[in-house]
C-alpha cells in the first residue's frame, strides 16, 4: 500500500482508463480522473470513493495544453503531490486509406492521442521533478509496432512509443520512470460499437492471437499498475505488449512456407 500517494488517470471515465483508476485505487492511491466525459468520470470517482479512497473528477480536454496545466495545479491543490500519471485518454477510429482520410479528423486524432499525451506528461513531469520521484505510464498499442490501416491513429501510437523512450531518458536522471503498455483489441465501448456497426470482426480478431483469450480492461490495468509500482523500479523506456501474443502470431501465421500445425 502507498498511503497519501496520488495517481492521475486521463481517459479515466471509460474503458482502460477507468479500469486503471480502479486498480490503482485498490493499490492505495488517491485518484484524479481527467476526461471530457463528466458523467463517466463522476461514476469512476464515485465507485472509487465507495472503496474508501479519495477520488475526484476533473473536466479536461488533454488536447488543450493550457487546460492540462491548470488542471495539474487543481489536482495537486485538492489531492496532493502526484506520484503516478497514466495517459489513457484517446480516440479510436475506423479503417481509412491514407489518400481518402478525413484530414480534420486526422488533425483531431493527433491532437488528442499524441499531443494530449505530450501535454499530460509535460505538466505532471514538471511537478514530479522537484520531488525526484514518479512514474508515468503511456498507452501505446499493437499499432505502436505494426502497420494497420488506421492512418490517423497508427503512426500516432508509434509516436507514443518513441515519446515514451525520449521521456524515459530525459526524466531518468530525476528518478522518474516512463513506460508504455501496448494492448491488442480490448472490449471497451469503442470496440463494442465498431463490432455492432460491422467495422470489426470478432471471429478474425480471435483467430489471429496466440492465446484464445481477448484481454479485458483489467488485464491492461494490471500491467499499468505493475509498471507504476516499485516492483518495476529498474524498468523504464519500454512498451509492454498486453496482446495475447498478437505481435508474435501475426507474422508467424502469415509465413510463406505455411504453418505446420495448421496444414
Ligand atoms: N480498446 C482497444 O482495443 C485499445 C487497444 C489498444 C490501445 N487502446 C488505447 O487505450 C486508450 C483507452 O481506450 P479505451 O479503449 O479505453 O477507449 P474509451 O473510449 O473507453 O476511453 C477513452 C477515454 O478517453 C476520453 N477522451 C477522449 N478524448 C479526450 C480528450 N480530448 N481529453 C480527455 N479525455 C478524452 C474519453 O471520454 C474516454 O473516457 C486509448 O489511448 C486507446 O488508443 C485501446
Amino acid at each position: 500500500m502507498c498511503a497519501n500517494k496520488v495517481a492521475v488517470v486521463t481517459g479515466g471515465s471509460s474503458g482502460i482508463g477507468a479500469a486503471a483508476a480502479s486498480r490503482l485505487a485498490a493499490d492505495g492511491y488517491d485518484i484524479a480522473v481527467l476526461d471530457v466525459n463528466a458523467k463517466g468520470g463522476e461514476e469512476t470517482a464515485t465507485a472509487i470513493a465507495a472503496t474508501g479512497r479519495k477520488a475526484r473528477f476533473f473536466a479536461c480536454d488533454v488536447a488543450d495544453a493550457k487546460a492540462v496545466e491548470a488542471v495539474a495545479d487543481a489536482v495537486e491543490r485538492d489531492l496532493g503531490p502526484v506520484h503516478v500519471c497514466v495517459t489513457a485518454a484517446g480516440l479510436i477510429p475506423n479503417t481509412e486509406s491514407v489518400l481518402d482520410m478525413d484530414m480534420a479528423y486526422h488533425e483531431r486524432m493527433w491532437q488528442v492521442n499524441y499531443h494530449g499525451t505530450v501535454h499530460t506528461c509535460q505538466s505532471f513531469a514538471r511537478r514530479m521533478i522537484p520531488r525526484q520521484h514518479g512514474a508515468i505510464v503511456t498507452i501505446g498499442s499493437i499499432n505502436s509496432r505494426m502497420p494497420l490501416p488506421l492512418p490517423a491513429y497508427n503512426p500516432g501510437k508509434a509516436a507514443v512509443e518513441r515519446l515514451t523512450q525520449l521521456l524515459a531518458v530525459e526524466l531518468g536522471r530525476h528518478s522518474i520512470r516512463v513506460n508504455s503498455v501496448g494492448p491488442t483489441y480490448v472490449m471497451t465501448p469503442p470496440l463494442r460499437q465498431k463490432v455492432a456497426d460491422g467495422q470489426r470482426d470478432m471471429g478474425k480478431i480471435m483467430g489471429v492471437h496466440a492465446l484464445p483469450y481477448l484481454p479485458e480492461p483489467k488485464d491492461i490495468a494490471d500491467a499499468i499498475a505493475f509498471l507504476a509500482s516499485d516492483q518495476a523500479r529498474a524498468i523504464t523506456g519500454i512498451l509492454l505488449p498486453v496482446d495475447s501474443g498478437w505481435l508474435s502470431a501475426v507474422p508467424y501465421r502469415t509465413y510463406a512456407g505455411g504453418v505446420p500445425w495448421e496444414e
Side-chain angles (χ1 to χ4, degrees):
M1 295 291 271
C2 36
N4 304 320
K5 287 195 172 181
V6 175
V8 166
V9 183
T10 73
S13 296
S14 176
I16 290 169
S22 298
R23 171 58 211 265
L24 289 166
D27 283 355
Y29 289 90
D30 293 333
I31 303 292
V33 172
L34 276 55
D35 205 297
V36 288
N37 171 359
K39 183 171 176 291
E42 295 291 1
E43 282 169 9
T44 302
T46 302
I48 290 170
T51 69
R53 294 244 60 94
K54 278 193 211 159
R56 271 210 53 192
F57 169 69
F58 297 83
C60 180
D61 178 349
V62 295
D64 179 344
K66 284 192 179 138
V68 177
E69 187 65 15
V71 164
D73 277 339
V75 168
E76 295 219 329
R77 198 173 51 238
D78 286 9
L79 293 175
V82 170
H83 297 81
V84 168
C85 175
V86 179
T87 63
L91 300 171
I92 303 177
N94 284 331
T95 311
E96 283 180 305
S97 78
V98 178
L99 297 191
D100 295 333
M101 70 176 159
D102 176 339
M103 290 309 292
Y105 190 55
H106 175 265
E107 175 69 21
R108 179 66 183 159
M109 184 73 59
W110 273 87
Q111 285 302 328
V112 175
N113 288 11
Y114 182 72
H115 293 286
T117 304
V118 173
H119 301 151
T120 308
C121 292
Q122 284 180 328
S123 288
F124 289 97
R126 282 188 194 119
R127 287 163 176 77
M128 291 172 178
I129 286 171
R131 304 191 281 266
Q132 298 285 294
H133 182 75
I136 296 173
V137 183
T138 64
I139 310 298
S141 166
I142 51 175
N143 280 269
S144 302
R145 294 281 169 82
M146 289 277 200
L148 296 172
L150 303 166
Y153 179 89
N154 179 275
K157 286 296 183 184
V160 166
E161 181 176 13
R162 185 54 52 85
L163 172 73
T164 301
Q165 293 170 313
L166 300 183
L167 283 169
V169 180
E170 213 174 300
L171 299 174
R173 66 206 161 97
H174 301 295
S175 300
I176 299 166
R177 297 181 301 101
V178 189
N179 291 293
S180 193
V181 292
T184 184
Y185 302 83
V186 183
M187 194 54 82
T188 60
L191 178 58
R192 202 168 294 121
Q193 187 62 51
K194 288 175 201 325
V195 171
D197 294 346
Q199 293 277 347
R200 300 285 191 279
D201 177 335
M202 286 313 295
K204 271 192 189 158
I205 288 175
M206 294 313 299
V208 292
H209 291 82
L211 296 173
Y213 173 72
L214 197 68
E216 295 178 10
K218 70 180 175 54
D219 296 309
I220 315 305
D222 285 345
I224 291 168
F226 165 68
L227 290 171
S229 77
D230 284 348
Q231 286 177 311
R233 61 185 167 274
I235 300 175
T236 198
I238 70 154
L239 179 138
L240 175 59
V242 187
D243 71 340
S244 286
W246 187 96
L247 287 166
S248 297
V250 168
Y252 185 105
R253 289 195 200 286
T254 54
Y255 178 57
V259 178
W261 45 271
E262 280 185 348
E263 278 172 351

